Amino acid sequence: MTPAGFLETISSLSLQSAVLIGVIGVLTFRNKKSPSAHRMWAVCHMLLLVQFLLAFGVPHPRLFSPTLIEYGGYFEAVQNVESGLGQILMMIWLAGVAVSLVLLVLGTTQTVRILRRAIPIELKSLTDQPCLHTGGKSILLLSSEETHTPFCWQIHQPLIVLPRSILSLPADELAMIIRHETEHLRAGHPLHLFLQRLVEAVFWFHPLVWWSSRQAVYSREFYCDNQSVHSSSEALVYLKSLLHFAEQQKKGWNSLSAGFVFRNSPSLIQQRVSRLTNRDWSGSPAMNTNRWRIPVVLMTALLSLLLWIPLNVSASNRSFWSPWPSWSTHVLHSIGIPARDYEIDGHRLRPHEHY
């Protein structure tokens, strides 16, 4: 991909992702109490990764002519500016992705190290209770002195790691904490968080992506709170455990924010407490009746793929499709599928290979 092509791609991808996040933000804002908000943001992050792969892996349509302005004698100057700017942005973007991935790997390594050093525990008061099972598998409870907040992990076996400091809490508070982490596992939130981290690494420059990550964290915690607490008496016990973590937070803790720990900021804990205290326990839990929202999101993602900003003045207006990116062209050629990786007019000016 040429620097000018990268400039067009990254600008258009930013617009596409902004449209997708904006639509999901509106849908979840209008349905704040919906129990499916956490799934909506998981779908959002998955579609953002799909948009990224399509933008850098396949041709894109050109609804508008790339040469909207007649540059006249300034064509070469504009072309040079685009090329220089695209090259600078490409280097900055790659550097940001590299740093983000390194932080993700370090956070994951730190989490795995904690898991290896954690000690299995067995709480007699919780043995054989439903909260210790998910998807037909038993949940392994671990304790560690290296973390001050509970977290869950799910690859080969579902795990819940409890800080050593909270094992002295009353049994009912421990049960509520474990029930909350179990709901994370049942909802597949470890996978959701992994997708979120990948999106943050690729779109590290996009403020709306970071906003969507914050909304995803909030919706996951709200969902697990709703699933864990079923009565006002349980809410009182649960609030006591939240206050305990709020006190721990004042002392500072190792949150592993670059890894896979569900981090609770002071504002999030405050919102969780507020939602629990204001919850109406007389009615039944809200059911997800807005099944139309997922099709709307998928349609938005599909239509957003047509939003390409015509910034590359070297692009040909003789084709509705842009050239294939070089890396995907080589893959197609290796399996005997022809693909054009050059502009229709550009091959007259730049050397290329014929397949």
Side-chain angles (χ1 to χ4, degrees):
M1 179 177 292
T2 64
F6 175 82
L7 175 63
E8 182 180 73
T9 300
I10 202 68
S11 301
S12 302
L13 186 60
S14 299
L15 175 61
Q16 294 172 11
S17 59
V19 170
L20 178 61
I21 294 172
V23 169
I24 294 181
V26 170
L27 293 176
T28 54
F29 178 79
R30 292 174 62 86
N31 299 273
K32 287 184 176 181
K33 296 183 179 180
S34 172
S36 65
H38 68 116
R39 298 192 190 95
M40 294 283 290
W41 288 114
V43 170
C44 174
H45 290 140
M46 183 173 60
L47 291 176
L48 287 174
L49 291 176
V50 171
Q51 285 182 336
F52 170 77
L53 293 176
L54 293 178
F56 284 94
V58 300
H60 61 265
R62 289 170 170 167
L63 298 181
F64 307 99
S65 172
T67 53
L68 294 177
I69 303 175
E70 191 66 39
Y71 292 97
Y74 298 100
F75 178 83
E76 291 187 4
V78 174
Q79 191 177 36
N80 291 335
V81 170
E82 278 190 347
S83 179
L85 181 59
Q87 190 169 6
I88 293 173
L89 291 179
M90 183 185 300
M91 295 174 62
I92 295 175
W93 177 74
L94 289 174
V97 171
V99 171
S100 300
L101 291 177
V102 168
L103 292 176
L104 178 59
V105 171
L106 291 177
T108 306
T109 303
Q110 187 178 5
T111 304
V112 172
R113 188 183 301 116
I114 290 177
L115 293 174
R116 289 178 178 176
R117 297 176 180 175
I119 301 174
I121 59 174
E122 182 177 346
L123 301 176
K124 295 182 180 179
S125 60
L126 298 176
T127 304
D128 298 330
Q129 290 200 12
C131 67
L132 291 180
H133 297 81
T134 177
K137 294 183 179 181
S138 298
I139 299 173
L140 179 61
L141 290 179
L142 304 173
S143 67
S144 173
E145 294 181 347
E146 301 180 59
T147 180
H148 297 281
T149 181
F151 69 92
C152 57
W153 181 269
Q154 189 172 22
I155 297 183
H156 302 295
Q157 180 181 6
L159 306 171
I160 293 177
V161 180
L162 300 175
R164 193 73 53 83
S165 60
I166 73 169
L167 296 182
S168 59
L169 291 177
D172 54 352
E173 292 186 32
L174 273 177
M176 295 302 298
I177 293 171
I178 294 174
R179 188 188 297 181
H180 178 89
E181 296 301 322
T182 301
E183 292 301 331
H184 278 305
L185 292 171
R186 288 175 176 169
H189 288 169
L191 176 60
H192 296 182
L193 184 57
F194 176 69
L195 293 176
Q196 175 186 319
R197 297 300 187 211
L198 290 181
V199 169
E200 290 171 356
V202 173
F203 292 89
W204 61 267
F205 59 91
H206 205 311
L208 280 182
V209 168
W210 291 102
W211 178 83
S212 72
S213 293
R214 186 165 60 253
Q215 300 306 309
V217 171
Y218 287 5
S219 64
R220 287 194 290 260
E221 295 300 326
F222 295 156
Y223 171 81
C224 292
D225 287 346
N226 290 335
Q227 295 296 110
S228 303
V229 183
H230 307 296
S231 65
S232 57
S233 59
E234 288 184 347
L236 180 61
V237 176
Y238 194 62
L239 288 171
K240 291 180 180 178
S241 65
L242 287 178
L243 291 176
H244 171 82
F245 290 117
E247 293 176 357
Q248 287 289 107
Q249 198 169 43
K250 293 179 181 179
K251 303 175 184 178
W253 69 47
N254 164 20
S255 65
L256 301 179
S257 59
F260 300 109
V261 172
F262 297 95
R263 186 178 183 183
N264 277 318
S265 64
S267 61
L268 176 54
I269 292 180
Q270 184 178 1
Q271 290 189 46
R272 293 172 64 187
V273 170
S274 176
R275 287 172 65 92
L276 286 173
T277 54
N278 295 327
R279 181 171 167 179
D280 181 12
W281 301 102
S282 60
S284 58
M287 300 299 293
N288 180 22
T289 57
N290 297 323
R291 299 180 181 273
W292 53 268
R293 291 189 296 167
I294 293 297
V296 168
V297 170
L298 294 177
M299 184 61 66
T300 300
L302 181 62
L303 294 177
S304 69
L305 298 178
L306 301 176
L307 300 176
W308 279 82
I309 306 174
L311 294 178
N312 186 2
V313 297
S314 301
S316 172
N317 57 7
R318 293 179 55 200
S319 173
F320 179 74
W321 294 97
S322 69
W324 281 79
S326 299
W327 73 270
S328 54
T329 303
H330 290 307
V331 172
L332 292 175
H333 289 167
S334 65
I335 58 178
I337 299 178
R340 175 175 59 87
D341 62 347
Y342 54 87
E343 296 289 350
I344 290 181
D345 295 323
H347 73 285
R348 301 176 182 174
L349 305 175
R350 293 185 294 272
H352 65 281
E353 298 180 5
H354 291 276
Y355 293 91

